[in-house]
């Protein structure tokens, strides 16, 4: 079994659990989501641009299936927007940008929380509008609809564009904001936000939409790992094991070798005679560095064959054991492995354990 097959096996474990827990899809594709799908379908033909928002870590798996179905019937211009590039790595995102542009989709990689990047993105959108106005000069108002799966960052991006755009346009008035939440499915209605003037550009922020049925097992695993689906569908421990298999098989941990040479910073009092303060906040730098070093040491000393499922699981178990100490969890804590999993997922999802793109560029394009 190859490394790719080993990773696929771990993904299938998670994906099959998600599909089983989702049942007939009603727990995910709620009546509210069905209504949102209808609303988007009805309005998409009347907008000038569709911003196809995806997670840069899973550029294919995060495509909104509804948008794929509507693309053949809609005359709106489709722009692919890869959000969360700070979690994926910009060099890899550039390869995906080239892929989508070869597929005739203008593409831009963005970090919704980076002011300078948002300014660049707004400039990109305005350049698309200028190209449109050359052929249709009578247009004075442009509408763009953000469409994507849950928790891909639509509302955060809409708010950032609105904030930057209003400042650039020097407009007065109280800023409106779309609701932003780390919990999938928090946006409940279509919200219009102005992002530019001369011409006026409005962004329509829409609720996250999933297909009525989830059938792609591997895509389900990736959606769950990146937070597009609720963690309780697969379980935090299973998701953390899947992440560790990704880490172990792509050698991201090798970048942390220098941590074994240098002493880690001690938080709290600098007096060496004082016992260091015990930190339980896993966002603290000293804890993050300790996690990285622990994972590097376990991986580097492991001599098993990771292409064998049993050996991969044995390594993951060893990693869970050292993470209990690295995350400074009290010995004997109740459900300690669940706590390790929750903290580890947070570190992965906030980019503190490296940059990852879980999808592969289709071979026929990559080899050109």
């Amino acid at each position: 079994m190859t490394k790719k097959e080993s990773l696929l096996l771990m993904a299938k474990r998670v994906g099959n659990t998600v599909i089983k827990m989702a049942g007939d899809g009603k727990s995910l594709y709620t009546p509210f989501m069905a209504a949102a799908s209808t609303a988007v379908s009805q309005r998409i033909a009347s907008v000038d641009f569709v911003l196809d928002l995806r997670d840069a870590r899973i550029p294919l798996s995060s495509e909104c299936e509804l948008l794929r179905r509507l693309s053949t019937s809609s005359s709106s211009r489709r722009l692919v927007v890869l959000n969360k590039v700070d979690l994926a790595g910009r060099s890899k995102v550039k390869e995906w940008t080239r892929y989508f542009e070869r597929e005739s989709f203008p593409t831009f990689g963005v970090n919704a929380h980076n002011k300078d990047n948002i300014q660049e993105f707004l400039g990109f959108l305005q350049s698309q509008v200028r190209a449109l106005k050359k052929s249709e000069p009578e247009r004075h108002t442009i509408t763009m609809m953000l469409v994507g799966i849950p928790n891909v960052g639509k509302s955060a991006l809409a708010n950032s564009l609105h904030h930057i755009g209003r400042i650039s346009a020097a407009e007065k008035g109280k800023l409106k904001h779309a609701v932003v939440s780390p919990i999938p499915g928090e946006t409940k209605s279509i919200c219009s936000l102005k992002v530019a003037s001369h011409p006026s550009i409005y962004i329509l922020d829409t609720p996250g939409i999933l297909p009525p049925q989830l059938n792609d097992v591997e895509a389900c695993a990736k959606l769950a790992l990146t937070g597009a689906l609720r963690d309780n569908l697969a379980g935090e421990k299973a998701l953390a094991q899947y992440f560790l298999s990704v880490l172990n098989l792509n050698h991201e941990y090798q970048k942390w070798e220098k941590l074994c040479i240098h002493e880690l910073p001690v938080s709290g009092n600098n007096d060496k005679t004082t016992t260091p303060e015990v930190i339980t906040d896993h966002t603290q730098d000293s804890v993050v560095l300790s996690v990285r070093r622990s994972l590097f040491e376990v991986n580097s000393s492991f001599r098993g064959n990771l292409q064998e499922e049993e050996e991969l699981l044995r390594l993951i178990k060893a990693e869970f054991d050292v993470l209990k100490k690295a995350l400074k969890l009290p010995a004997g804590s109740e459900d300690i492995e669940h706590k390790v999993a929750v903290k580890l997922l947070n570190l992965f999802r906030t980019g503190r354990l490296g940059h990852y793109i879980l999808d592969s560029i289709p071979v026929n394009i990559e080899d050109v």
Side-chain angles (χ1 to χ4, degrees):
M1 185 164 55
T2 65
K3 289 183 178 181
K4 185 176 181 179
E5 290 170 336
S6 297
L7 191 57
L8 179 59
L9 186 63
M10 295 297 292
K12 285 183 175 179
R13 284 186 170 202
V14 172
N16 281 324
T17 301
V18 170
I19 291 174
K20 182 179 178 181
M21 291 297 293
D24 58 4
K26 290 182 180 178
S27 63
L28 296 176
Y29 193 75
T30 61
F32 164 75
M33 192 173 288
S37 299
T38 300
V40 169
S41 300
Q42 291 173 343
R43 297 189 67 169
I44 199 168
S46 63
V47 302
D48 300 294
F49 293 90
V50 174
L51 305 185
D52 177 1
L53 193 61
R54 308 193 190 191
D55 188 323
R57 296 168 296 179
I58 47 173
L60 292 181
S61 300
S62 60
E63 180 184 14
C64 180
E65 186 178 294
L66 174 67
L67 190 53
R68 188 191 314 148
R69 296 201 308 268
L70 294 175
S71 61
T72 56
S73 59
S74 172
S75 60
S76 301
R77 295 152 187 83
R78 185 174 173 186
L79 311 177
V80 173
V81 183
L82 300 176
N83 193 24
K84 307 183 182 182
V85 294
D86 52 312
L87 305 179
R90 291 190 177 275
S91 61
K92 294 180 181 178
V93 171
K94 286 180 180 178
E95 296 177 18
W96 278 98
T97 299
R98 287 193 292 269
Y99 162 70
F100 285 118
E101 288 179 344
R102 286 175 178 175
E103 293 288 288
S104 300
F105 295 119
T107 304
F108 196 95
V110 69
N111 173 3
H113 303 288
N114 184 293
K115 182 178 178 180
D116 292 337
N117 192 210
I118 290 297
Q119 188 70 62
E120 292 173 4
F121 180 50
L122 182 57
F124 167 78
L125 295 179
Q126 290 174 319
S127 70
Q128 297 295 319
V129 170
R130 285 193 294 272
L132 173 62
K133 283 184 66 64
K134 285 182 179 180
S135 58
E136 302 178 41
E138 72 282 358
R139 287 181 178 268
H140 299 292
T141 300
I142 303 295
T143 55
M144 300 181 172
M145 179 181 282
L146 271 170
V147 182
I149 62 173
N151 214 21
V152 75
K154 294 182 298 299
S155 296
L157 182 59
N159 283 335
S160 294
L161 284 168
H162 181 50
H163 183 70
I164 292 291
R166 288 286 289 256
I167 291 175
S168 298
E171 292 187 4
K172 298 180 180 180
K174 189 175 181 180
L175 290 173
K176 294 191 299 180
H177 292 280
V179 176
V180 178
S181 171
I183 302 172
E186 283 299 293
T187 302
K188 301 298 184 185
S189 61
I190 296 178
C191 175
S192 176
L193 299 173
K194 189 172 184 178
V195 302
S197 300
H198 312 299
S200 295
I201 302 177
Y202 290 86
I203 293 286
L204 302 181
D205 178 32
T206 65
I209 298 173
L210 293 170
Q213 290 283 345
L214 295 174
N215 299 314
D216 188 327
V217 175
E218 188 177 4
C220 280
K222 295 172 182 177
L223 290 170
L225 180 58
T226 53
L229 304 177
R230 300 191 307 272
D231 286 347
N232 62 0
L233 289 172
E236 286 85 350
K237 183 177 178 180
L239 290 173
Q241 290 174 327
Y242 177 34
F243 164 66
L244 287 173
S245 67
V246 172
L247 174 76
N248 298 336
L249 292 169
N250 79 359
H251 305 300
E252 181 75 12
Y253 67 88
Q254 292 179 352
K255 299 177 182 178
W256 306 329
E257 181 177 6
K258 63 182 179 181
L259 297 177
C260 294
I261 302 173
H262 305 290
E263 288 293 323
L264 296 179
V266 177
S267 176
N269 198 321
N270 290 328
D271 184 354
K272 294 183 179 180
T273 63
T274 304
T275 302
E277 179 185 357
V278 175
I279 305 170
T280 56
D281 180 3
H282 58 275
T283 63
Q284 293 289 331
D285 285 349
S286 60
V287 176
V288 174
L289 295 175
S290 179
V291 168
R292 291 177 178 179
R293 182 167 72 174
S294 298
L295 290 174
F296 174 80
E297 289 175 344
V298 173
N299 267 279
S300 300
S301 61
F302 188 75
R303 295 294 176 263
N305 182 1
L306 295 183
Q307 295 181 22
E308 295 180 8
E309 181 185 6
E310 290 185 4
E311 292 296 283
L312 179 57
L313 291 173
R314 186 162 68 90
L315 173 57
I316 291 173
K317 183 180 184 304
E319 289 171 323
F320 261 79
D321 290 339
V322 299
L323 286 172
K324 296 172 187 176
K325 180 179 179 181
L327 290 166
K328 303 187 183 300
L329 296 172
S333 296
E334 184 178 351
D335 204 5
I336 192 169
E337 289 198 340
H338 177 263
K339 293 177 180 178
V340 168
V342 170
K343 290 177 179 292
L344 188 66
L345 286 174
N346 180 280
L347 294 179
F348 158 66
R349 290 170 179 169
T350 53
R352 290 174 171 87
L353 294 180
H355 304 111
Y356 303 86
I357 292 187
L358 306 179
D359 285 337
S360 299
I361 295 177
V363 175
N364 63 321
I365 298 296
E366 194 173 34
D367 290 346
V368 172

